[in-house]
Amino acid sequence: MKAQHLRWCSLVLGLILLVSLLGCSVSVTPTPSPSATPLSATFEAPPSSSDTPLQDTSIPSPHPEIPTQTPLPTRPFKALTPTSVPTLTASEEQELVLNLLQDNGGCQLPCWWGFTPGETTWQTAQEFFAALGKSPAAYHDPRGTVNYTVRLQVPQQISQSGDVAQHYIVRDDIIEMIWVVVGYSQSYALPQLLATYGQPKGIWLRTFSAVADTDGGELPFFLLLYYQQQRFLARYVGFTYEQDGQIPMCPQQASGALWLWSSGREMTLEDIAHVGVGGFPIDEVPDYRLLEEATNWSIEQFYQTFVQPDNQTCLETPADLW
């Protein structure tokens, strides 16, 4: 009896031990190692379609993306080469304009920065100005032309206002005439202009005998140089004072402007004034006098004198003539 009781106790203890062991195996789960982490839990498989680049867009690139830069349009002249930005800063614009005032884009008047009246389309010029971030103002003239005006920044030693104006007269998308302000640019100062283009066909002067007492009696004067064969007119504006019945005019450092026109046109002062740009109204044409009439100078004498870069001579005209 005692032996049978011991066998039952042993059986019960064995069952208890077995249940304990099984319970531990269910409740305790080993912590998985990092190598056991599935790859798909971190990265997505690339799409299999051949139309989709094999790149995992969920992973940022270690290198920042470089934005695509739009080059400037191709220019029809050597001075303008494409740059990496479509709009220039103020200093970059000034530098570009100064370079173009210096070499005129590699061409001679009446070509202006590569734009030749009678040949160049307005679209070509418009693309250039658009590359500078400029939107020329347009005016539709009743005479059938479209007139465009654009202003460009320059240092104050060229223009006290800090900018210069350009005006394009366009018919059927062809530039017919250009009016530009060159200010005090040394490339278009009187001695340099004479040295480059020679003796002009005609010279006119205009001034005044008296003005209001404002500005201390300062008198403006105008000098026109007409180059018929080269198809341009240059105007210089300066200031002077009446001295002992004479009005001296020293145009060496006067501010300049140019009118440029296409071939096949015999432009007179009246024709240029009729265009109505550049502050040259038609009713002021009779106020201009030929050089020989206003002074005792000839055109040849004027040329030989003022072509000298260090010349300090001034013209004189009688005050009572004006």
Side-chain angles (χ1 to χ4, degrees), residues 9-29:
C9 290
S10 298
L11 180 61
V12 171
L13 290 173
L15 289 173
I16 293 173
L17 178 62
L18 179 62
V19 171
S20 300
L21 292 173
L22 290 174
C24 292
S25 64
V26 172
S27 61
V28 179
T29 302

Side-chain angles (χ1 to χ4, degrees), residues 153-280:
Q153 298 183 64
V154 295
Q156 288 193 338
Q157 62 264 30
I158 301 295
S159 172
Q160 293 182 355
S161 65
D163 61 15
V164 292
Q166 298 188 13
H167 194 97
Y168 295 81
I169 300 171
V170 179
R171 188 187 302 273
D172 298 329
D173 197 45
I174 300 296
I175 298 173
E176 283 192 347
M177 191 173 184
I178 305 174
W179 170 71
V180 294
V181 175
V182 295
Y184 296 94
S185 169
Q186 289 302 307
S187 299
Y188 295 96
L190 180 60
Q192 185 62 45
L193 187 85
L194 293 172
T196 303
Y197 296 97
Q199 182 174 307
K201 178 72 173 180
I203 300 177
W204 287 265
L205 296 172
R206 184 190 179 203
T207 188
F208 304 86
S209 60
V211 294
D213 289 337
T214 57
D215 298 327
E218 191 175 50
L219 301 173
F221 70 84
F222 303 85
L223 171 68
L224 302 181
L225 274 61
Y226 178 62
Y227 285 84
Q228 182 180 28
Q229 184 176 358
Q230 294 92 334
R231 308 196 311 274
F232 75 88
L233 175 77
R235 181 183 68 182
Y236 292 93
V237 180
F239 294 91
T240 185
Y241 297 91
E242 182 177 337
Q243 299 178 7
D244 300 325
Q246 296 289 319
I247 300 176
M249 291 178 279
C250 310
Q252 294 90 336
Q253 298 299 324
S255 176
L258 302 169
W259 285 261
L260 319 165
W261 56 86
S262 58
S263 60
R265 302 184 66 179
E266 296 294 333
M267 299 288 287
T268 64
L269 293 187
E270 289 81 5
D271 294 331
I272 297 170
H274 267 301
V275 175
V277 295
F280 188 30

